Amino acid sequence: APFAMESGGEPMDTDDEDGGGGGGLRALWGGGPAPVQLRRLSEALRGLRWMPLAEASVSAMLQAHLRLSLRERCAGRFESCVMERQLDWIDASVLPWVSAALESGADQWRARDLLTAASAPLKQWRARLRFFFMQSLAGMRIAELFDILVDFPDSTPALDDLHACLHHTHQHADIVQGLGEALEKRLLKPGAETHQILEVYIGMIRALRRLDPSGLTLDAVSERVRAYLKLRPDTVKQIVTTLTDPDSSDLLEPVGGGA
């Protein structure tokens, strides 16, 4: 496959300060023979008028690589924000690769002002890649949201990344459905102690208020928790015990539109 890219090993180095992975990724996307080959291939495809077909393949390949890169770099790691760093990496490393693959002109690859001098199609590619990344990051964090809530406030950076992504992707309905399913599967079951459910509930109140200050997401998700707690005979006793702890004062505050 002419557009195949490496997806394992060194390129996924999470310790690289520029967010762009290790030397293997730079060798492919940052210079050397690969850009020359890409430009030649691009010119050949353009001459045959096959570029529209190639663009579909490039798009699918880039999305698969970004999704894999995101999982290997960020999955389960909640202690630091990653969104802006990875978006910068896309601009610095992925976008020049797209330019070399799909546009003619030898100067495109090394132009420092690639973003300001970008053609309209390249700007569209940038917008698509950035949106796809934010959508993928939000989807991954939504799938991990139960663990993020349990780890809160240590997981605040991951929560803030999700909040920033949602501003663009509007995946709030996915949060309500995904977190609701996770709560039913992992928390709202006979094996969980009532005090444990209350502790997670308190953390959920704090975290979801930070994620969505409007309270709409919290109100939608917390309804099933409250409904389940009403079925437990020791709920009132455990609430009274929990409320003696000053750190649990969130239970005294309104949740969305009601207590």
Side-chain angles (χ1 to χ4, degrees), residues 175-188:
I175 292 178
V176 174
Q177 179 179 348
L179 181 55
E181 292 174 354
L183 288 169
E184 299 237 352
K185 181 179 179 181
R186 301 179 61 180
L187 184 67
L188 307 181

Side-chain angles (χ1 to χ4, degrees), residues 34-54:
V36 175
Q37 296 171 3
L38 286 170
R39 285 195 294 272
R40 290 174 180 171
L41 178 60
S42 174
E43 292 168 0
L45 292 174
R46 190 173 288 103
L48 294 171
R49 298 188 178 183
W50 288 357
M51 187 55 73
L53 299 176

Side-chain angles (χ1 to χ4, degrees), residues 32 66 76 120 129 141 201 249:
L66 289 175
L129 289 172
R141 291 305 187 217
Y201 184 38
S249 59

Side-chain angles (χ1 to χ4, degrees), residues 10 19-20 32 35 55 57 61 70 111 144 151 154 207-208 227 230 241 246:
E10 212 174 3
E55 287 184 4
S57 298
M61 178 273 299
L70 176 64
E144 300 170 328
D151 289 348
D154 292 340
L208 291 185
K230 289 178 182 178
T241 301

Side-chain angles (χ1 to χ4, degrees), residues 19-94:
L25 189 57
R26 291 197 193 91
L28 186 58
W29 286 359
V36 175
Q37 296 171 3
L38 286 170
R39 285 195 294 272
R40 290 174 180 171
L41 178 60
S42 174
E43 292 168 0
L45 292 174
R46 190 173 288 103
L48 294 171
R49 298 188 178 183
W50 288 357
M51 187 55 73
L53 299 176
E55 287 184 4
S57 298
V58 169
S59 179
M61 178 273 299
L62 284 174
Q63 290 183 4
H65 183 85
L66 289 175
R67 191 181 296 112
L68 176 62
S69 175
L70 176 64
R71 286 201 308 268
E72 296 202 11
R73 290 177 181 176
C74 308
R77 301 177 181 182
F78 310 143
E79 68 281 357
S80 61
C81 294
V82 300
M83 189 187 79
E84 290 300 331
R85 180 184 177 190
Q86 296 306 313
L87 289 176
D88 289 343
W89 168 72
I90 289 174
D91 285 346
S93 297
V94 182

Side-chain angles (χ1 to χ4, degrees), residues 122-200:
L122 190 60
K123 290 179 180 178
Q124 292 175 358
W125 269 94
R126 179 177 186 258
R128 286 161 52 190
L129 289 172
R130 289 169 68 89
F131 181 83
F132 174 79
F133 175 82
M134 288 186 285
Q135 191 176 52
S136 299
L137 177 59
M140 185 179 72
R141 291 305 187 217
I142 290 171
E144 300 170 328
L145 193 51
F146 182 87
D147 294 319
I148 292 174
L149 298 182
V150 171
D151 289 348
F152 188 81
D154 292 340
S155 59
T156 296
L159 205 65
D160 289 346
D161 268 347
L162 178 55
H163 174 80
C165 290
L166 291 175
H167 180 72
H168 300 276
T169 65
H170 308 291
Q171 293 165 269
H172 299 83
D174 294 341
I175 292 178
V176 174
Q177 179 179 348
L179 181 55
E181 292 174 354
L183 288 169
E184 299 237 352
K185 181 179 179 181
R186 301 179 61 180
L187 184 67
L188 307 181
K189 56 185 182 179
E193 299 288 343
T194 302
H195 72 89
Q196 295 174 329
I197 298 176
L198 288 171
E199 288 174 3
V200 174

